């Protein structure tokens, strides 16, 4: 069953058009990599899904037209965002960051700290005192505490130490194997994306230029649209 459906999605920043026709479909429990070079519309697509930018075209979550909703109601419909740059509440503790976002469901403080044991060890610390990797884990945990049906991660491992990147990819793989949460991933690491993703959608200049099973993404296609 289709959870998220985008068809011919367009969006602009004022007079500057950024999306010219994005097509994307995701099923419940599916992991999709949203790929493309920098500046091709990936983050703008995420902003459109979350209603942080005005858009036109088909934008559906289940049978709900997201165009009709403000961003906070999109979140309540089950869309959890881990934004680029983390954006934790710096003056709140780890526990407070997590519980502030909590909504009823399977994801609780205990379950999040089982996924990320470092957060359990630092529950009483202010977010500002955490390392960059720990703040990223906190941002993911905070999104999970909303008990989303769709989890969106925008560059969740960018700029992190290799060992922390491995922890985060391992956690995402656990989510894929152990939950029914759909995950939309933006990341630059094709190797890690290939290991956890079921499907890929590639954007070029604000348009979908390729979509399909991750196993069908050939080196020629990735070099043409993703390679530097």
């Amino acid at each position: 069953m289709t959870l998220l459906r985008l068809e011919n999605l367009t969006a602009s920043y004022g007079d500057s058009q950024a999306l010219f026709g994005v097509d994307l479909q995701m099923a419940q429990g599916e992991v999709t990599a949203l790929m493309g070079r920098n500046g091709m519309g990936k983050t703008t697509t995420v902003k459109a899904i979350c209603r942080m930018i005005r858009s036109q075209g088909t934008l559906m979550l289940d049978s709900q037209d997201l165009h009709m909703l403000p961003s906070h109601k999109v979140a309540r419909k089950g869309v959890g965002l881990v934004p680029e740059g983390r954006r934790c509440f710096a003056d709140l503790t780890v526990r407070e960051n997590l519980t502030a976002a909590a909504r009823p469901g399977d994801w609780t403080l205990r379950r999040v700290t089982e996924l990320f044991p470092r957060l359990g060890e630092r529950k009483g610390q202010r977010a500002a005192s955490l390392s960059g990797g720990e703040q990223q884990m906190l941002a993911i945990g905070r999104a999970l505490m909303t008990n989303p049906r769709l989890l969106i991660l925008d560059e969740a491992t960018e700029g992190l130490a290799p060992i922390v990147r491995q922890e985060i990819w391992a956690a995402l793989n656990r989510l894929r194997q152990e939950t029914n949460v759909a995950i939309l991933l933006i990341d630059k690491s094709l190797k890690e994306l290939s290991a956890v993703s079921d499907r890929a959608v590639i954007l070029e200049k604000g348009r979908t230029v390729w979509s399909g099973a991750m196993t069908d993404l050939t080196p020629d296609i990735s070099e043409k649209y993703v390679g530097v």
Side-chain angles (χ1 to χ4, degrees), residues 1-192:
M1 178 179 176
T2 300
L3 174 67
L4 178 71
R5 180 163 60 92
L6 281 56
E7 291 180 359
N8 196 31
L9 192 73
T10 63
S12 302
Y13 295 97
D15 294 332
S16 179
Q17 189 168 349
L19 301 183
F20 295 85
V22 173
D23 300 313
L24 183 154
Q25 290 196 31
M26 293 182 65
Q28 189 69 57
E30 188 173 62
V31 180
T32 297
L34 184 60
M35 303 171 68
R37 296 184 179 93
N38 289 342
M40 293 301 163
K42 302 185 300 295
T43 294
T44 301
T45 299
V46 168
K47 289 181 177 180
I49 294 169
C50 296
R51 296 292 293 126
M52 299 164 68
I53 185 174
R54 290 185 177 181
S55 58
Q56 295 181 319
T58 300
L59 178 57
M60 303 288 290
L61 185 74
D62 282 341
S63 58
Q64 176 73 60
D65 183 355
L66 296 185
H67 287 303
M68 307 301 292
L69 300 177
S71 57
H72 69 279
K73 290 191 176 180
V74 172
R76 290 177 184 172
K77 287 290 182 181
V79 178
L81 173 63
V82 182
E84 189 175 14
R86 301 162 196 142
R87 302 181 195 174
C88 301
F89 300 116
D91 291 331
L92 299 184
T93 66
V94 168
R95 181 193 295 272
E96 289 167 341
N97 266 273
L98 294 172
T99 56
R103 301 190 71 230
D106 292 338
W107 284 99
T108 61
L109 183 64
R110 178 189 57 78
R111 193 173 180 193
V112 167
T113 55
E114 286 176 353
L115 184 67
F116 293 118
R118 292 191 192 203
L119 298 182
E121 297 166 2
R122 292 158 175 74
K123 282 188 289 190
Q125 289 184 220
R126 291 172 59 246
S129 71
L130 303 178
S131 69
E134 291 164 350
Q135 289 184 18
Q136 190 61 274
M137 294 174 190
L138 180 57
I140 297 171
R142 182 181 60 191
L144 288 171
M145 289 287 286
T146 68
N147 278 281
R149 290 184 293 160
L150 169 63
L151 179 66
I152 303 174
L153 298 101
D154 191 353
E155 301 284 7
T157 67
E158 185 176 21
L160 302 180
I163 190 169
V164 178
R165 288 170 55 88
Q166 291 174 10
E167 288 184 49
I168 290 175
W169 285 113
L172 294 178
N173 197 39
R174 280 189 60 186
L175 291 177
R176 177 181 182 237
Q177 293 176 347
E178 299 174 9
T179 77
N180 199 36
V181 177
I183 304 175
L184 181 63
L185 286 172
I186 299 174
D187 202 275
K188 293 183 176 66
S189 178
L190 180 58
K191 178 181 178 181
E192 279 80 8

